[in-house]
Amino acid sequence: MNAHKPVRRVAIVGTGTIGASWATHYLVRGFDVTATDPSPTAETALRSYVQAAWDAAASTGLAPDASPERLSFTPDLRRAVADADFVQENAPERPDLKVKLFTDIDDATPPDAIIASSSSGITMSIIQAECRRPERTVIGHPFNPPHIVPLVEVVGGTRTAPETVQDAMSFYAAIGKKPIHLKKELPGHVANRIQAALYREVVYLVQEGVLDVADSDDAVSWGPGLRWGVMGPHLLWHLGGGEGGIQHFMDTLMPRMVASWHELGTPEFTPELKQKIEAGVLEEADGHSVDELAARRDAMLSALLRVRAQHDPSGPPSPAADRPVKEGS
């Protein structure tokens, strides 16, 4: 694999919500994108998504040569990936499907292309099991929606070359993402596991009648969620330690937190609890459609990212810093 091959052509395999969002991001960043999906309505849905998401995606940075016209579509997988420099796979979360799909992509792509999976839970060691060139396969798991949220979790499988992980990290960073390197594989990767741990306690509090659904959402988004949008928990604890910083926090406050861990709950997810959450969410949505709520979310996320860019030099680069496209792959 040529570690310095520029990435000019990106293939998107699977054009559901995540694949369509990835396609939008790559287009906004100035790439030629070829997408493929077996659904007979996939192309229409994809182009509609790109059109609807373009302004929000562009608000986080628009490359000078970006255009929706650089999107092409074919239902033929081999054709879609035949000249790709980088492949972003987004098929349903089924191990058997992923294994077969990666085998086919591996056979059809140029040997120096990187093949990344957006898989949210399946490890690359499973996905790459039948590839002839597994050394160039890697997890590149985004956070939804990828055309706005910068996080990408990067982790290789047992047969992934270390250079592939580094090249993927460099590539994602160059296109405005915030990649993190997972040094070990584990189901669900990292960010989803953190989400699951938090949500387990939220659901427990709702089940116990401590909070209703709307107040539990507010407890997260108007409290710790605001701080987490600025800094992660370790750095926030450093601030929480006052002048003594993290050392003071660990010595005086952490023991109390550890002692409280056994009090955290594990809810029993009954049909009644499921119905209670569903009713609470619909009441909180107050008649607004999923699309309307998503647009509100995306607008606020874009605004937050613009503020972060003004204050955080370690954040993702703007498209002006991306050019030329894109060494490190």
Side-chain angles (χ1 to χ4, degrees):
M1 219 171 99
N2 180 359
H4 299 287
K5 179 183 178 182
V7 175
R8 296 187 176 89
R9 294 174 296 274
V10 175
I12 299 292
V13 178
T15 60
T17 300
I18 297 299
S21 182
W22 264 127
T24 305
H25 180 76
Y26 286 120
L27 288 165
V28 161
R29 293 285 162 163
F31 290 93
D32 292 318
V33 175
T34 302
T36 185
D37 192 292
S39 170
T41 61
E43 181 176 7
T44 300
L46 172 61
R47 294 190 183 279
S48 176
Y49 185 103
V50 170
Q51 181 180 8
W54 188 264
D55 288 346
S59 71
T60 65
L62 184 68
D65 50 354
S67 171
E69 299 303 314
R70 297 179 72 171
L71 172 65
S72 59
F73 183 92
T74 174
D76 187 328
L77 172 67
R78 297 188 69 87
R79 228 165 122 196
V81 304
D83 61 354
D85 303 311
F86 193 94
V87 178
Q88 190 79 48
E89 172 272 323
N90 316 276
E93 289 289 293
R94 288 182 11 224
D96 57 335
L97 174 62
K98 298 273 194 188
V99 170
K100 174 65 166 62
L101 191 55
F102 258 64
T103 303
D104 293 342
I105 296 171
D106 184 36
D107 286 340
T109 46
D112 53 0
I114 290 178
I115 309 172
S117 176
S118 297
S119 175
S120 61
I122 307 169
T123 63
M124 182 45 63
S125 290
I126 292 173
I127 296 172
Q128 69 184 192
E130 296 181 12
C131 290
R132 288 189 298 118
R133 292 183 289 268
E135 68 278 359
R136 42 78 168 264
T137 62
V138 67
I139 293 290
H141 172 240
F143 239 50
N144 191 34
H147 67 274
I148 294 179
V149 179
L151 181 68
V152 181
E153 299 175 313
V154 179
V155 57
T158 54
R159 296 194 289 161
T160 301
E163 296 81 7
T164 299
V165 174
Q166 291 307 313
D167 290 347
M169 291 281 293
S170 297
F171 173 64
Y172 284 129
I175 62 168
K177 307 304 285 183
K178 186 68 173 178
I180 59 171
H181 178 203
L182 279 58
K183 297 172 178 61
K184 293 182 179 181
E185 287 186 292
L186 71 170
H189 315 315
V190 169
N192 276 335
R193 293 173 70 99
I194 294 171
Q195 280 196 144
L198 171 65
Y199 193 56
R200 181 178 70 176
E201 184 64 15
V202 169
V203 170
Y204 173 76
L205 294 172
V206 170
Q207 183 177 56
E208 292 298 301
V210 177
L211 293 167
D212 61 22
V213 169
D215 281 343
S216 69
D217 276 353
D218 287 345
V220 174
S221 66
W222 288 99
L226 281 176
R227 298 194 302 187
W228 292 333
V230 177
M231 295 178 183
H234 292 107
L235 197 56
L236 285 168
W237 293 154
H238 182 48
L239 302 184
E243 290 185 5
I246 190 64
Q247 294 89 350
H248 180 71
F249 183 91
M250 287 293 171
D251 290 340
T252 62
L253 299 175
M254 192 64 185
R256 276 184 277 169
M257 184 180 294
V258 172
S260 73
W261 285 350
H262 76 279
E263 299 174 0
L264 299 177
T266 301
E268 181 184 356
F269 198 70
T270 63
E272 293 77 19
L273 179 57
K274 174 178 177 289
Q275 185 177 21
K276 183 177 184 179
I277 292 173
E278 289 173 352
V281 169
L282 292 176
E283 182 179 356
E284 188 180 3
D286 195 27
H288 295 286
S289 69
V290 169
D291 287 344
E292 290 171 336
L293 293 171
R296 182 193 303 174
R297 174 203 63 191
D298 294 351
M300 287 191 284
L301 286 173
S302 297
L304 174 60
L305 287 170
R306 288 193 294 272
V307 171
R308 286 204 61 163
Q310 295 171 7
H311 296 276
D312 185 0
S314 68
S318 66
D322 294 349
R323 318 314 286 181
V325 181
K326 306 297 188 255
E327 289 198 352
S329 302

